[in-house]
């Protein structure tokens, strides 16, 4: 009996130790989402260039880059469920809208599913949403925050002109009600250009909030808004 009791205790300990790494690897609950839209003219106007998806050249409009869970300290969870693979059938009713609003511009040209798969598996699996909810939430936010209309209403147009960083930030802040993050990249001549705009969203992925932290945007006072 003593041997059986000791064996049972040893077995319990071994099982606990085997489970412990799984428990410790679970991410803590995130604090907010970054919702990120990118300007295709800036993505393409670099030394790397771009490739259009199978549906052809996207419209001259901001497109979705991603909906990313984040922590208040600037860090973020990723790849939270390696068994939850992207399944296009889960979002078949959203596909036409996603091809328009969430196209891939990376090379070599392909359909957009590689891009969507990456976004789901790295970020979406940490969102506490299922696949359909995750992609639908991003599309809803894109409709809610029409960046091109906001900027053009403020006299800021994708015409290869230079605009002040402050004017771009103020235009988005006035429309959204909260301060955005603005990220720049550089064209082949090293001119800094408007690349991505970040806004923050609560953990339900529905409501814009003030950002607890913003990304470093690497933007000078004047930045180009390239045509596309």
């Amino acid at each position: 009996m003593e041997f059986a009791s000791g064996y049972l205790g040893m077995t319990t300990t071994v099982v606990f130790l085997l489970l412990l790494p799984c428990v410790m690897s679970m991410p803590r609950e995130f604090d907010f989402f970054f919702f990120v839209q990118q300007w295709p003219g800036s993505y393409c106007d670099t030394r790397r260039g771009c490739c259009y998806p199978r549906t052809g050249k996207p419209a001259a409009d901001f497109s979705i880059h991603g909906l990313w869970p984040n922590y208040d300290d600037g860090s973020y969870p990723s790849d939270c469920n390696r068994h939850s693979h992207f399944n296009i059938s889960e979002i078949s009713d959203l596909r036409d809208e996603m091809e328009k609003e969430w196209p891939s511009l990376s090379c070599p040209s392909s359909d957009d599913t590689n891009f969507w798969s990456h976004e789901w598996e790295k970020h979406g699996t940490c969102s506490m949403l299922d696949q359909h909810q995750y992609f639908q939430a991003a599309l809803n936010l894109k409709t809610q925050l029409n960046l091109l209309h906001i900027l053009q209403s403020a006299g800021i147009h994708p015409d290869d002109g230079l605009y002040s960083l402050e004017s771009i930030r103020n235009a988005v802040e006035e429309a959204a009600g909260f301060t955005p993050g603005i990220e720049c990249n550089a064209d082949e001549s090293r001119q800094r250009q408007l690349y991505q705009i970040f806004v923050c969203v609560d953990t339900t992925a529905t409501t814009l909030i003030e950002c607890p932290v913003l990304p470093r945007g690497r933007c000078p006072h004047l930045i180009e808004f390239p045509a596309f």
Side-chain angles (χ1 to χ4, degrees):
M1 292 296 293
E2 290 181 3
F3 176 81
S5 176
Y7 180 78
L8 179 61
M10 182 183 299
T11 302
T12 302
T13 301
V14 169
V15 170
F16 174 77
L17 290 174
L18 288 172
L19 289 175
L20 186 59
C22 298
V23 174
M24 293 179 65
S25 68
M26 291 294 290
R28 70 181 191 271
E29 186 174 346
F30 65 98
D31 298 309
F32 69 98
F33 286 100
F34 273 135
F35 177 57
V36 189
Q37 296 185 60
Q38 64 184 6
W39 179 247
S42 299
Y43 186 101
C44 293
D45 191 18
T46 62
R47 292 179 181 177
R48 178 182 56 189
C50 68
C51 296
Y52 299 148
R54 65 177 181 83
T55 50
K57 182 180 179 179
D61 191 9
F62 283 88
S63 61
I64 298 170
H65 185 171
L67 182 63
W68 305 337
N70 272 256
Y71 298 128
D72 285 346
D73 63 6
S75 63
Y76 61 91
S78 65
D79 301 297
C80 295
N81 185 349
R82 296 184 183 278
H83 300 290
S84 180
H85 300 295
F86 177 71
N87 183 351
I88 191 65
S89 67
E90 296 286 332
I91 56 167
S92 57
D93 61 315
L94 303 179
R95 183 163 186 165
D96 288 348
E97 188 177 3
M98 287 181 60
E99 287 178 342
K100 175 184 175 184
E101 305 292 358
W102 203 329
S104 172
L105 292 170
S106 64
C107 295
S109 178
S110 65
D111 63 32
D112 301 306
T113 54
N114 289 337
F115 184 22
W116 302 335
S117 177
H118 168 79
E119 291 300 311
W120 167 252
E121 293 177 9
K122 181 175 181 179
H123 302 288
T125 56
C126 304
S127 69
M128 309 297 179
L129 303 172
D130 64 32
Q131 288 188 42
H132 193 278
Q133 291 169 336
Y134 175 75
F135 290 105
Q136 182 69 74
L139 292 171
N140 292 345
L141 290 165
K142 173 69 164 60
T143 300
Q144 180 180 343
L145 196 66
N146 187 329
L147 290 177
L148 185 60
H149 175 74
I150 289 168
L151 294 177
Q152 289 183 323
S153 296
I156 301 167
H157 302 277
D159 55 7
D160 295 325
L162 296 178
Y163 296 93
S164 73
L165 176 63
E166 182 180 13
S167 67
I168 295 171
R169 181 183 292 116
N170 288 346
V172 178
E173 183 173 3
E174 182 176 348
F178 301 101
T179 305
I182 298 175
E183 183 181 5
C184 296
N185 64 0
D187 64 16
E188 291 190 84
S189 64
R190 309 309 299 168
Q191 170 67 51
R192 289 289 177 178
Q193 52 190 5
L194 176 61
Y195 174 41
Q196 298 196 127
I197 296 180
F198 293 66
V199 295
C200 292
V201 185
D202 71 358
T203 55
T204 69
T206 60
T207 305
L208 300 181
I209 60 172
E210 194 66 57
C211 286
V213 63
L214 286 170
R216 294 181 179 181
R218 298 175 294 176
C219 296
H221 172 63
L222 289 176
I223 56 178
E224 182 184 17
F225 193 3
F228 180 62

